[in-house]
Amino acid sequence: MTVVRTRVGIVGAGPAGLLLSHLLAAAGIESVVLDSRTREQIETTVRAGILESWLIELLRQTGASDRVDRDAQPHQGIELRFDGAGHRIDFRRLVGRDVWLYPQHEVLRDLIAARVAAGQDLRFGVVATGAQDDGERVTVHATGLDGEPLTVEAEFVVGADGSRSVVREAVAGSQQAGYFREYPFAWFGILCEAPPSAEELIYSNSPHGFALISQRSAAVQRMYLQCDPELDPQAMSDEAIWASLRERVAPHPLIEGPIVQRDVLRFRSFVASHLRRGRLALVGDAAHTVPPTGAKGLNLAAADVVILARALEALLLRGDGSEVDRYPEVALRRIWKAQQFSWWMTSMLHTVPGASEFDRLRQLGELYSVVESEAGMRFLAEAYTGWPLG
Ligand code: DHB
């Protein structure tokens, strides 16, 4: 059995775990990061694409990415489409902030490259099986690539291991302990090879269901359509996908091209019952899941990490544990605001199976009350572009 000793053990090399190791290293605190996946799997999984501006600034300022300067594209607003017409929400004018289109796997490539260049102990293909704070030592138990047991002993352990977190059990008491909400629909996501169909994102509510037109680059686009959670992504023909997208954003024209990837994203809201126990804490999807409408998941994970990194600096460099004590309270304020926003965007924009005509017309009333009100549009813009981190 191998025992590795470090200051902070981090389970999960997704955006949360990698950003945490990066911020801790900048403060002179060493960590070990474990992930069950390979580096290639992590770097090629297609995920969300919208980053709040403070996060772009953080990646730039801490030297995590120089590619954001070249490749991230500022978006000054979004379009809400409903009742056959588009309505622009102008973030720049309403709140003076942009959001940035920079795909999550690019953030991961940047962070992994920066951590590897800095000599970070980053172990891929290592499956964590549990974590424990026995009052004396905090440990992570894992199985290495060769099947050998591996134990990480640390002063603090962080679960950044996603929605199926194994660290959650040690923090919250069980895998399921928390607050849940399921939704009766999912998103069918595609990547296609075509020029952009719109300069900004289009969130469209239509009688045929929701659609989102997003972008990736001059040559590749990302689009989503509301679907049944049980839909087999291979069961729909390319033509059926395009027909469905077209009718949901009509009369806005779409530029079609070969569909090169498809996936189904399930919708769920979750907040773990506890975010910290002793010298164990949860960040990112291990702590919470939001439905994707409104693009809060990655940004929320990064916000947890910034709050926890500051708290760990106080604890490990100055022996001051008060910020770690306050971590759940500070993080949860933002988490529940993001839960509310993601739930609101989701329920305002999607077609609920079996909804009455009253519900459908009330939904249009809600959408008009946002786009015909400065206060309504500003509320949406403040949340979408991200609340200040403080
Ligand atoms: C994307 C995903 C989202 O969930 C969203 O709200 C906006 C954009 C994307 O993948 O581009």
Side-chain angles (χ1 to χ4, degrees):
M1 160 146 102
T2 312
V3 178
V4 183
R5 293 190 175 82
T6 186
R7 297 206 81 182
V8 181
I10 300 173
V11 185
L18 291 166
L19 182 63
L20 182 63
S21 68
H22 179 70
L23 296 180
L24 291 175
I29 299 169
E30 62 130 27
S31 61
V32 171
V33 183
L34 311 178
D35 199 292
S36 58
R37 297 165 294 173
T38 64
R39 177 173 178 174
E40 210 213 326
Q41 278 172 328
I42 294 173
E43 289 184 342
T44 54
T45 306
V46 175
R47 287 279 174 86
I50 295 289
L51 273 61
E52 294 170 10
S53 53
W54 64 266
L55 179 52
I56 287 283
E57 204 45 46
L58 181 74
L59 294 172
R60 189 183 278 142
Q61 274 175 8
T62 60
S65 174
D66 45 27
R67 291 193 308 143
V68 286
D69 287 328
R70 202 183 56 224
D71 296 336
Q73 297 160 36
H75 280 222
Q76 297 176 9
I78 56 168
E79 182 176 288
L80 293 187
R81 282 194 80 77
F82 56 93
D83 213 7
H87 304 264
R88 185 160 187 262
I89 312 286
D90 185 338
F91 299 154
R92 198 43 99 72
R93 181 180 72 72
L94 290 157
V95 291
R97 289 196 294 271
D98 299 339
V99 291
W100 295 75
L101 185 78
Y102 191 64
Q104 177 167 327
H105 66 268
E106 301 293 350
V107 178
L108 288 164
R109 279 178 54 201
D110 289 341
L111 284 168
I112 292 175
R115 299 317 308 129
V116 168
Q120 169 73 43
D121 189 342
L122 186 51
R123 298 177 189 222
F124 299 105
V126 175
V127 181
T129 49
Q132 188 178 15
D133 177 1
D134 66 10
E136 217 165 285
R137 281 178 313 177
V138 205
T139 45
V140 180
H141 304 290
T143 310
L145 263 183
D146 45 12
E148 265 285 289
L150 171 84
T151 298
V152 178
E153 278 184 24
E155 292 166 57
F156 205 98
V157 164
V158 179
D161 49 342
S163 52
R164 295 201 193 90
S165 169
V166 300
V167 180
R168 192 187 300 140
E169 187 166 341
V171 176
S174 83
Q175 266 267 333
Q176 292 78 28
Y179 310 93
F180 272 107
R181 190 179 208 288
E182 301 275 353
Y183 299 81
F185 38 75
W187 277 3
F188 186 7
I190 60 157
L191 274 182
C192 65
E193 287 172 352
S197 284
E199 279 178 18
E200 295 179 337
L201 271 66
I202 302 175
Y203 287 82
S204 186
N205 166 300
S206 88
H208 309 284
F210 170 78
L212 169 60
I213 307 304
S214 183
Q215 299 84 18
R216 281 298 177 265
S217 67
V220 175
Q221 312 310 322
R222 180 82 164 141
M223 300 179 190
Y224 300 94
L225 47 101
Q226 175 183 347
C227 70
D228 186 290
E230 303 305 329
L231 179 77
D232 168 5
Q234 304 311 325
M236 252 176 121
S237 69
D238 285 20
E239 186 37 49
I241 295 169
W242 284 115
S244 213
L245 282 165
R246 274 196 310 265
E247 71 181 0
R248 292 175 191 210
V249 297
H252 185 97
L254 292 181
I255 306 176
E256 299 175 19
I259 294 173
V260 290
Q261 195 173 317
R262 358 162 122 215
D263 46 17
V264 171
L265 281 76
R266 284 184 167 252
F267 271 51
R268 144 183 216 263
S269 301
F270 170 71
V271 180
S273 63
H274 297 81
L275 301 193
R276 179 205 154 222
R277 184 179 302 259
R279 287 170 296 164
L280 294 163
L282 302 175
V283 290
D285 284 358
H288 45 71
T289 309
V290 291
T293 332
K296 279 284 154 272
L298 170 60
N299 295 292
L300 196 56
D304 295 346
V305 166
V306 170
I307 298 165
L308 186 63
R310 286 183 194 152
L312 288 176
E313 275 179 50
L315 177 71
L316 300 174
L317 300 180
R318 302 190 289 281
D320 170 5
S322 61
E323 285 190 45
V324 166
D325 289 344
R326 275 203 313 276
Y327 164 68
E329 186 189 332
V330 175
L332 281 167
R333 176 68 64 88
R334 193 182 185 91
I335 291 165
W336 280 112
K337 283 165 71 170
Q339 286 291 2
Q340 147 60 24
F341 178 66
S342 307
W343 169 88
W344 178 58
M345 289 285 280
T346 299
S347 34
M348 181 164 68
L349 288 163
H350 289 72
T351 307
V352 180
S356 66
E357 193 60 2
F358 175 89
D359 290 340
R360 200 184 66 75
L361 293 168
R362 187 208 57 78
Q363 198 180 46
L364 291 180
E366 184 173 14
L367 284 158
Y368 277 118
S369 63
V370 173
V371 302
E372 291 180 349
S373 152
E374 277 291 297
M377 287 193 291
R378 184 164 297 126
F379 175 78
L380 194 154
E382 271 178 8
Y384 196 102
T385 58
W387 308 281
L389 252 183

